[in-house]
């Protein structure tokens, strides 16, 4: 069933997800994005530049978080705008010797923040946290709904 603007209310939850991140995920993302900065795979380098450890790519976190919106709307092309501010890094522990154990867990919840009937859009506000702390703030996706 297609979602319509009349189906929505401000404050309505559209979905939630748990994203399990491993160091292998970061290596794969580095290969896909071309971002091989050692803060994303080398523990001693990351600590040497005053980070708490290896951190996930910001764009990996941002892209993973918006998945809750695309899953809900059913069409990634319906997302016409997506913005956020990065507040804390997602530290990814080394669990490579423990297959299936995530190095970090990111929790995402999406709620309808605004409805614009004139433009047939809805703003979805995302709450994105890891380790009980928000890692993205003002994470907002605008979706066109016909």
């Amino acid at each position: 069933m297609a979602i319509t603007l009349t189906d929505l209310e401000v404050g309505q939850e559209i979905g939630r997800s748990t994203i399990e991140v491993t160091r292998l995920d970061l290596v794969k993302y580095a290969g896909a994005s071309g971002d091989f900065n050692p803060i994303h795979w080398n523990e001693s380098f990351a600590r040497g530049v005053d980070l708490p450890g290896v951190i996930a790519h910001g764009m990996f976190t941002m892209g993973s978080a918006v998945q809750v919106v695309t899953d809900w709307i059913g069409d990634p092309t319906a997302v016409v705008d997506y913005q956020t501010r990065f507040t804390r890094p997602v530290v990814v522990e080394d669990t490579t010797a423990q297959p299936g154990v995530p190095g970090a867990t990111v929790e995402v919840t999406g709620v309808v923040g605004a409805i614009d009937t004139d433009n047939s859009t809805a703003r979805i506000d995302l709450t994105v946290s890891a380790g009980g702390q928000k890692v993205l703030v003002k994470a907002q996706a605008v979706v066109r709904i016909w």
Side-chain angles (χ1 to χ4, degrees):
M1 180 172 131
I3 297 166
T4 66
L5 287 177
T6 57
D7 295 330
L8 304 180
E9 294 179 18
V10 172
Q12 174 184 348
E13 183 176 308
I14 59 100
R16 57 181 58 226
S17 68
T18 299
I19 303 158
E20 295 182 340
V21 185
T22 66
R23 294 267 179 102
L24 179 57
D25 294 326
L26 301 184
V27 170
K28 289 177 181 180
Y29 185 82
S33 69
D35 181 352
F36 294 99
N37 188 322
I39 64 173
H40 302 303
W41 55 270
N42 185 306
E43 185 86 25
S44 62
F45 184 90
R47 290 188 182 280
V49 295
D50 294 327
L51 290 169
V54 167
I55 63 170
H57 303 74
M59 296 308 285
F60 173 88
T61 304
M62 186 178 175
S64 298
V66 78
Q67 184 74 41
V68 75
V69 178
T70 59
D71 286 350
W72 165 73
I73 198 66
D75 177 8
T77 66
V79 177
V80 295
D81 186 51
Y82 179 41
Q83 301 178 32
T84 192
R85 289 188 186 159
F86 300 97
T87 56
R88 296 187 184 280
V90 175
V91 178
V92 181
E93 300 298 327
D94 186 2
T95 59
T96 53
Q98 305 162 4
V101 176
T105 302
V106 178
E107 301 290 337
V108 182
T109 304
V111 299
V112 177
I115 301 168
D116 182 346
T117 55
D118 292 339
N119 290 307
S120 297
T121 61
R123 188 190 76 224
I124 306 302
D125 298 338
L126 300 174
T127 300
V128 184
S129 60
Q133 297 187 327
K134 288 185 179 180
V135 294
L136 303 179
V137 296
K138 294 192 123 209
Q140 300 175 331
V142 176
V143 294
R144 183 157 327 277
I145 300 174
W146 296 106

